[in-house]
Amino acid sequence: MHGTATTGAVWSGVRAALAGREVHAPDRPSTGELAAEIAALAPSVAGRVLGGVSGGATLGLAMLAAGVPMAAAVLHEPAVGSLVPGLLTPMAEAFASGGVTAFGQRLYGPCWRPGHAPADIAMVERDLEMFLGFEPGSPPVGAPPVLITVGAQSPPVRHRAAAALRARFDLPVRVLPGCGHAVHLEAPELFAALLAETAAGLPH
């Protein structure tokens, strides 16, 4: 599941590393409404391992809390709402001052390119507003296994966010070497291997 200022095409490196497996990388509708996003994306997630980065990981948390019947999830650096206030403030400021390009570069770093963004820039604005208002909810009883990941090269605030999810919801956290926020661009083979490892560990 892709995040803000990207489309499903951002997963090309991960998909290549998962060649031979069934992989879905849908373009999110970016409605700006969390319930509408969950409803639109739930069929793509049901029964599958969800891999999400950034906003896609945030939506993974929301789907988990909503009881979407996924098999498992690997969520890289989601938003955490009031658990870590101000986490998304630098990105909001970058968007206000420099639009989509400044936002994408601030969030994802030098691997991100303007061509990664959707053609409709209003989608980025709607996404940003939605994620700024996001609050994580408790996973339901019997929820599928979920792993929170954070890049070793990500700033300390991202590590605090992962730790906050572990403390609040008892979600396991793994630090991924050699990458920051944009793991799908910086280390696609690593993230693909983690998804494959997660799938292999599930009951058949």
Side-chain angles (χ1 to χ4, degrees), residues 18-167:
L18 290 170
R21 296 174 179 268
E22 181 184 357
V23 181
H24 298 262
D27 288 331
R28 295 196 293 101
S30 295
T31 61
E33 298 291 337
L34 192 61
E37 294 291 297
I38 293 172
L41 296 166
S44 297
V45 172
R48 298 186 171 98
V49 175
L50 168 62
V53 170
S54 191
T58 306
L59 283 169
L61 284 180
M63 286 191 243
L64 177 71
V68 173
M70 64 188 78
V74 179
L75 306 178
H76 187 75
E77 301 194 5
V80 297
S82 60
L83 296 182
V84 180
L87 176 67
L88 302 184
T89 298
M91 279 60 76
E93 291 173 344
F95 184 79
S97 63
V100 173
T101 297
F103 171 87
Q105 292 173 344
R106 181 66 182 83
L107 178 59
Y108 298 111
C111 287
W112 182 89
R113 300 286 183 269
H116 287 127
D120 182 2
I121 63 171
M123 297 173 76
V124 178
E125 187 171 15
R126 291 194 295 267
D127 268 355
L128 179 56
E129 183 177 356
M130 178 177 71
F131 292 131
L132 284 170
F134 171 77
E135 283 293 331
S138 299
V141 175
V146 176
L147 176 65
I148 302 298
T149 62
V150 60
Q153 297 174 358
S154 290
V157 68
R158 290 289 182 181
H159 291 261
R160 291 200 302 272
L165 289 174
R166 178 170 52 201

Side-chain angles (χ1 to χ4, degrees), residues 49 74 147 149 174 176 189-199:
V49 175
V74 179
L147 176 65
T149 62
R174 186 182 300 186
L176 303 185
E189 295 86 1
L190 173 62
F191 199 70
L194 187 52
L195 293 174
E197 174 191 318
T198 300

Side-chain angles (χ1 to χ4, degrees), residues 64 68 99 134 168 175 177 179 181:
L64 177 71
V68 173
F134 171 77
R168 177 63 64 88
V175 178
C179 69
H181 189 64

